[in-house]
Amino acid sequence: MRSRRLDYSESTRSALVESAVELFTKRGYAGTSLDEIAKRARVTKGALYHHFSGKQALFEAAFDTVESQVFDRLEKIMHGPESPWERALAGLRGFLQSCLDPAYQRIAIHEAPVVMGWERWREAEERCSFGLVRTGIQSLIEVGEVDDVPVDVTARLLFGALSSAAIEIASSPEPKRVSAQVEEVLVRLLVGFRRVPPAEHGKAS
């Protein structure tokens, strides 16, 4: 059986991470203090240091939380009952929708490359999302929806396009408008990879 002490410890850590996500989203890394995070979580600063070595460690936990929420949402879409093509389009739209979330914008896109360093941030992003992109492309190839393109290269290029799209959306004063434009362009790119059924070839001629 789980001990009360373990339950309390986990709830304290969760409260601190939740507090950090909210404050980092509102004020950014530089504008948020550990005292404020501990106060909002209703714990002592000593309890904070019991779980985290400092502000950066707490930021990375907040980053992991935000990334995990996006990953879980996309993973559910990519393993849904729809066809691989429908899942690919739904996954694209799900990602673009996540890019409109203030916490994802501020923590994962704007702050993380600076706080964590570009290379470490890139590795974390790839660890979270690249596998889903690769799996989606592999599924489309296996069912004959797209031509037998090199999976890793295609996934890498598409992942790069999605990363650039996230930055464009998060940096725009009109993120919804840019998101819609990005969706239109990326869907056209995906359609360009799609095999045209023989019946449609006949119609085209």
Side-chain angles (χ1 to χ4, degrees):
M1 294 181 64
R2 293 167 57 90
S3 69
R4 289 184 179 179
R5 179 176 295 179
L6 180 58
D7 285 338
Y8 177 75
S9 178
E10 289 185 359
S11 65
T12 298
R13 188 183 190 281
S14 296
L16 284 165
V17 174
E18 180 184 335
S19 175
V21 169
E22 180 166 331
L23 290 173
F24 286 142
T25 300
K26 288 182 177 178
R27 304 178 187 176
Y29 183 78
T32 302
S33 70
L34 291 179
D35 287 325
E36 291 173 313
I37 293 173
K39 182 179 180 181
R40 187 192 176 282
R42 297 182 179 180
V43 303
T44 65
K45 201 168 180 181
L48 185 154
Y49 278 115
H50 174 74
H51 291 278
F52 301 99
S53 59
K55 189 174 174 181
Q56 179 162 340
L58 188 48
F59 176 87
E60 291 183 12
F63 170 83
D64 287 342
T65 295
V66 172
E67 282 283 350
S68 294
Q69 290 171 350
V70 173
F71 177 84
D72 291 345
R73 190 180 307 131
L74 296 181
E75 186 177 42
K76 187 175 181 180
I77 292 172
M78 298 306 291
H79 290 89
E82 299 83 6
S83 70
W85 179 254
E86 290 171 334
R87 290 200 301 266
L89 294 181
L92 169 61
R93 294 183 180 113
F95 175 74
L96 295 178
Q97 188 66 35
S98 296
C99 292
L100 296 175
D101 177 62
Y104 187 74
Q105 286 185 358
R106 187 71 180 263
I107 294 174
I109 300 175
H110 287 308
E111 299 275 358
V114 178
V115 178
M116 298 168 61
W118 193 89
E119 289 187 9
R120 192 171 179 183
W121 167 73
R122 190 67 173 175
E123 288 173 2
E125 285 276 288
E126 291 195 8
R127 190 167 59 248
C128 179
S129 306
F130 178 73
L132 290 177
V133 175
R134 191 186 188 286
T135 298
I137 292 172
Q138 185 68 55
S139 297
L140 291 172
I141 293 173
E142 288 174 355
V143 300
E145 281 281 5
V146 302
D147 291 323
D148 190 12
V149 294
V151 176
D152 285 331
V153 172
T154 305
R156 185 71 59 188
L157 292 173
L158 182 55
F159 179 77
L162 290 172
S163 297
S164 297
I167 294 171
E168 286 295 318
I169 293 168
S171 302
S172 172
E174 299 180 87
K176 289 185 178 180
R177 181 181 63 82
V178 173
S179 177
Q181 292 175 337
V182 167
E183 180 181 335
E184 180 182 357
V185 172
L186 289 180
V187 168
R188 287 188 181 187
L189 287 175
L190 288 175
V191 169
F193 283 108
R194 198 179 189 192
R195 282 181 175 171
V196 180
E200 293 186 23
H201 275 302
K203 292 177 183 178
S205 60

